[in-house]
Structure formats: structure tokens, C-alpha cells
Amino acid sequence: MRLYWDVRRGDEDLKADDTRLEDLRNAGIVFTEPLTNRPSTRPLPQVERTLIRRELDEVERLLQRVRRIPSVLDTLDQAASGSQLDTGAVEVVKDQRAINHLLHNAIEASATIWSSQTRPRHPERLAASALRDVALLAGGGVRYRNLYPTSARTRTPETDYARRTAETGAAESRTSPRRFPRMIITDTLGLLSDRRVGEGTSEPAVVVRDPALLAWLRDEYELHWEAADPWFPAPADSPSDRELIERDILRMLAGGNTREAITRTLEISPRTYTTYMAALRDRLKVKTNEQLMYVLGRRHTAADA
């Protein structure tokens, strides 16, 4: 009890691996922190102050985005009515050569390129892009940010492209399990399409030039980027490619997603999904997905404790 009151007064803050935590647990006076969902003995007022600060920071970030909504909606309304289509603020371009021309000119005039790829890219065209992009990046004056689905880590052409561009020191690639649109954003132009643009498809592209809309697109991109995993160069303590895909599968399983939803979101085949699940069940010596989730849940709880 003396240890408990020392902690409550703030004289001592026990670490998660402190053996004396067990005494407090046995006494039933360890609570779960709302920030980390882990057992803790930190004084509740201190925890609450930290939580409030984080909530205020999040509110301010959301307010900044909300303040931009009127200008974004105004631009979209005007574009929908046709009043701004002549100015080129927002337009749909269907001709592939025109799309490539717009994109080439925008890249030449920009210092930063934000790119997100949603589907596998053609190996031969990707190899040609690597040669061109490495030369551009090595020349200085431009930086790339490339965002891929986690499944891209299993594909050699995209892995090689990410590594080669990263070696220039002017590009970074990350992967994410989240679904995001196909985008290429420059300092002056945003281009969105559900399919690969400039790789032989005839899919129309939405071209955005309005500064407010471009700022909004960059904000959306940054949200995905912050939650993504670095690819090359990878941090020393980062999980392996296999572990990242396993993590994403298990996260979606825990969220109640079906196999079809998981394979569609993560851009992996049903066969790949089956292979990963079989390996996980075999490694943890269980027979069903339900048993697998139970074992992992117990391990996570033990690790938190």
C-alpha cells in the first residue's frame, strides 16, 4: 500500500517491466490507461492531462481541414456546373497523350512529386520508368514520395523500383494496407485515376489545378503517408515484408472482415491469403482461424502486461 500511495502522489512512476507491478495487480489497484490500453500505475490526473492535450491537438488538426472545406466545395460546385471547366481548374482528360503531356510538364516544374500506386504496374514500363526517374532524381532539384499497397512488397518489379529510386537519396517509398486512390500530385497539378495512367490504358483522368483542391489532396495523401510503413531504406527495427502482410491480414480478421474483403483490400490473391493463414496456424499450432485469433490475443495481452 505504501508503494501505491507513492505512485499516486507521483513520487514514483513504475515501468511496465517492474516486478513490483505484480504486487499492485494482486491488490487490484492497477488500472488500464486510456491512451495505451495497457496496465499502468501512473496517477490518473497525469494520464488525463496527456489525453486532453492529444485530443486538443487532434481537434486543431481537424479544424484546419474544416476551414478549407468551403473553398473546396465552392470549387467543386463551380466545376460541376461547368462554370470553371473553361479555366481548367478541374477537368476530365480522356486523351492519353494529353494526360502524359500534362504530367510531364508538371513534373518538370515541380520540386516534390507525391505518387500513389494502387495496382501492379507493367514490369517493362516500370523498368523504363526506373531509368528515367533515377536520372531525374540524381540530377537534384526534385524529390519523390511513392505510396504502394502492402502487397507490392511481394512483387519484384515494384520492389526493384522502390530500391533503385531510394538509392538516389531523393525518393522514399512506403506501403500501406489502407485503400487509397491512384494519384500523382505535383506543385501545380493533381491527377487522379482508378487505373494506371501513362501505361497503355485509356482510363480518363481527373485533372485538378485549383490551389485549394490541391492542398486538400496533399492533406489526404499525408494522412495515408503517416500511417504507412517505410520500404527502402527500412528502419533497423522494422518488420519483414512477410510480417507486414501477416499483420495486415490479422488486423482485418480481428475487425471482422471476410476473406474476400481482405484479399480485395490488400490486393493479394485468395491463394496467397490461404498460404499465409496456413503458415500462421502451423507456426502457432492451431487448427482454425478462431483459435489463431485467440492465441494472438492472449500473446498481445501478455506483452502489454
Side-chain angles (χ1 to χ4, degrees):
M1 292 302 296
R2 186 161 48 251
L3 174 61
Y4 166 71
W5 286 112
D6 288 343
V7 171
R8 283 295 304 270
R9 287 195 301 267
D11 298 336
E12 188 166 2
D13 188 9
L14 301 185
K15 304 298 183 183
D17 58 353
D18 195 308
T19 56
R20 292 175 295 173
L21 273 174
E22 190 61 32
D23 296 332
L24 294 176
R25 291 193 184 93
N26 292 335
I29 52 179
V30 174
F31 64 90
T32 300
E33 282 200 6
L35 290 175
T36 63
N37 202 31
R38 295 180 177 180
S40 175
T41 59
R42 287 202 304 163
L44 277 173
Q46 179 183 350
V47 175
E48 291 170 348
R49 283 195 297 271
T50 305
L51 179 61
I52 291 172
R53 281 197 298 269
R54 292 192 182 184
E55 289 179 338
L56 288 174
D57 290 342
E58 178 67 13
V59 168
E60 178 59 30
R61 186 183 67 82
L62 291 175
L63 281 175
Q64 290 177 0
R65 297 187 65 196
V66 168
R67 293 186 188 106
R68 291 179 175 174
I69 289 178
S71 61
V72 172
L73 292 179
D74 182 62
T75 300
L76 290 174
D77 289 341
Q78 293 180 9
S81 65
S83 59
Q84 278 205 8
L85 289 180
D86 293 338
T87 68
V90 179
E91 61 180 323
V92 176
V93 179
K94 298 181 179 180
D95 182 73
Q96 196 61 51
R97 285 180 294 184
I99 293 173
N100 291 338
H101 180 71
L102 286 171
L103 187 57
H104 174 78
N105 289 341
I107 290 176
E108 288 289 323
S110 297
T112 304
I113 310 299
W114 298 265
S115 171
S116 64
Q117 312 290 338
T118 58
R119 301 184 182 185
R121 300 180 65 184
H122 192 285
E124 293 181 1
R125 297 190 179 97
L126 188 56
S129 296
L131 291 174
R132 181 187 66 244
D133 293 345
V134 166
L136 178 64
L137 292 166
V142 64
R143 299 188 63 86
Y144 275 10
R145 276 190 170 184
N146 300 312
L147 188 60
Y148 291 87
T150 305
S151 57
R153 292 174 178 264
T154 65
R155 297 190 286 269
T156 301
E158 283 153 300
T159 300
D160 289 343
Y161 176 88
R163 180 185 293 107
R164 293 179 63 185
T165 53
E167 288 173 349
T168 66
E172 183 181 359
S173 296
R174 294 187 180 185
T175 61
S176 170
R178 298 184 179 184
R179 294 187 67 86
F180 46 82
R182 154 74 178 173
M183 293 189 293
I184 299 178
I185 308 172
T186 70
D187 294 340
T188 59
L189 183 87
L191 190 146
L192 294 85
S193 173
D194 286 339
R195 297 187 180 180
R196 298 180 301 279
V197 175
E199 294 195 11
T201 67
S202 57
E203 181 76 8
V206 177
V207 180
V208 177
R209 295 187 179 86
D210 179 77
L213 278 176
L214 281 176
W216 179 74
L217 285 176
R218 283 193 288 268
D219 283 347
E220 290 299 306
Y221 186 98
E222 290 298 329
L223 289 176
H224 290 292
W225 183 261
E226 291 172 5
D229 299 295
W231 199 346
F232 296 109
D237 59 347
S238 64
S240 66
D241 294 349
R242 184 180 187 87
E243 288 171 335
L244 285 172
I245 297 176
E246 288 178 350
R247 178 203 65 184
D248 295 341
I249 291 175
L250 293 173
R251 179 185 58 80
M252 294 194 68
L253 273 177
N257 290 275
T258 63
R259 181 179 70 170
E260 290 73 18
I262 293 172
T263 54
R264 182 176 63 252
T265 300
L266 300 183
E267 296 284 348
I268 58 176
S269 68
R271 184 173 182 176
T272 298
Y273 170 86
T274 301
T275 300
Y276 274 96
M277 292 303 297
L280 283 167
R281 290 194 299 268
D282 182 65
R283 190 162 73 237
L284 297 177
K285 302 185 185 307
V286 298
K287 295 182 178 180
T288 67
N289 291 347
E290 289 76 13
Q291 293 173 339
L292 175 65
M293 298 304 298
Y294 175 76
V295 170
L296 291 171
R298 286 181 61 86
R299 288 190 175 190
H300 180 70
T301 301
D304 288 346

